[in-house]
Amino acid sequence: MTARVGVVTFPGSLDDGDAARAVRIAGAQPVRLWHGDPELHGVDAVVLPGGFSYGDYLRCGAIARFAPVMETIVDAAAGGLPVLGICNGFQILCEAHLLPGALTRNQHLHFRNRDQILRIESAGTAWTNVFQPGQEVLIPVKNGEGCYVADPATLDALEAEGRVVARYVGVNPNGSQRDIAAITNPAGNVVGIMPHPEHAVEALTGPSLDGLGFFTSVLKHLVGAPA
């Protein structure tokens, strides 16, 4: 059967359509999920897309974490459901305490929109298993509040446990501590990434096809997951 991957739409979501297209290009069936509906409609994985959920009021992702759909996603993630948070989705995952740390205002106080080289540090997650550790990929980044921060103990734990998924290479576009671009939870099913892999899945519109691997990875993971 074709895997069903849910893509959540919040008020202010910007890249939900692109995320759904990336899911379809990867070979899965995208299922649109609504922030106000707690039902996940039988999906096998979930993507929290980029954008400006609830207008970024209070703090990026701070209101979205209380959406009815997020209550269900938090419970499902604890049970192993693969969840990918992209940009604003990463911020929501941190606000929901599915991932540690926070995303704060870019250190230079400017919005950054550029093609960014990343180094994959962990290929052991549900969303990165088709990559090789150390592989470099080219994926767009576009954020104003993408600076990843955490206390030193948390950063050391992420390093020691192999939970840094990707780092910025060359230029750090937002000042993230230890050049962190993506992290995962201990189980490897929840990944937050600040750059946008869904914008690097087609030769016509992206700087590469490197982002497609995040979406084909979850399909590979689902094939190998116990029934």
Side-chain angles (χ1 to χ4, degrees):
M1 290 181 61
T2 303
R4 291 162 50 85
V5 178
V7 179
V8 179
T9 297
F10 299 95
S13 289
L14 177 66
D15 297 311
D16 45 339
D18 288 349
R21 184 167 62 250
V23 166
R24 185 169 58 252
I25 291 171
Q29 176 186 348
V31 178
R32 305 304 289 265
L33 302 176
W34 184 242
H35 69 107
D37 180 1
E39 295 297 323
L40 297 185
H41 303 281
V43 300
D44 303 299
V46 167
V47 177
L48 303 179
F52 307 92
S53 60
Y54 297 91
D56 283 347
Y57 290 116
L58 299 182
R59 198 171 52 246
C60 298
I63 299 177
R65 67 152 292 194
F66 293 107
V69 74
M70 283 305 301
E71 198 169 321
T72 310
I73 289 171
V74 168
D75 290 342
L81 181 78
V83 180
L84 176 66
I86 303 170
C87 195
N88 187 222
F90 188 2
Q91 294 162 341
I92 295 169
L93 290 176
C94 290
E95 291 287 343
H97 305 298
L98 285 174
L99 293 174
L103 285 306
T104 63
R105 189 71 182 268
N106 292 351
Q107 282 192 346
H108 44 66
L109 305 182
H110 296 287
F111 190 92
R112 279 290 180 267
N113 184 357
R114 53 169 288 154
D115 297 332
Q116 176 68 48
I117 298 174
L118 307 179
R119 183 173 63 249
I120 303 297
E121 300 283 12
S122 172
T125 81
W127 298 93
T128 56
N129 58 65
V130 305
F131 297 108
Q132 296 296 320
Q135 182 177 345
E136 293 188 358
V137 297
L138 181 65
I139 292 174
V141 63
K142 52 174 190 178
N143 61 73
E145 298 185 74
C147 179
Y148 182 76
V149 298
D151 62 271
T154 296
L155 292 170
D156 289 343
L158 289 172
E159 301 274 13
E161 297 166 13
R163 292 169 53 197
V164 176
V165 173
R167 296 184 205 270
Y168 300 111
V169 173
V171 175
N172 182 330
N174 45 43
S176 288
Q177 292 179 328
R178 305 193 189 183
D179 297 327
I180 290 174
I183 62 172
T184 186
N185 67 336
N189 62 304
V190 178
V191 169
I193 181 168
M194 184 49 55
H196 288 261
E198 79 280 15
H199 294 331
V201 297
E202 296 176 293
L204 178 64
T205 57
S208 73
L209 302 181
D210 294 343
L212 192 59
F214 289 86
F215 300 95
T216 57
S217 285
V218 77
L219 302 188
K220 179 180 175 184
H221 169 81
L222 291 171
V223 168

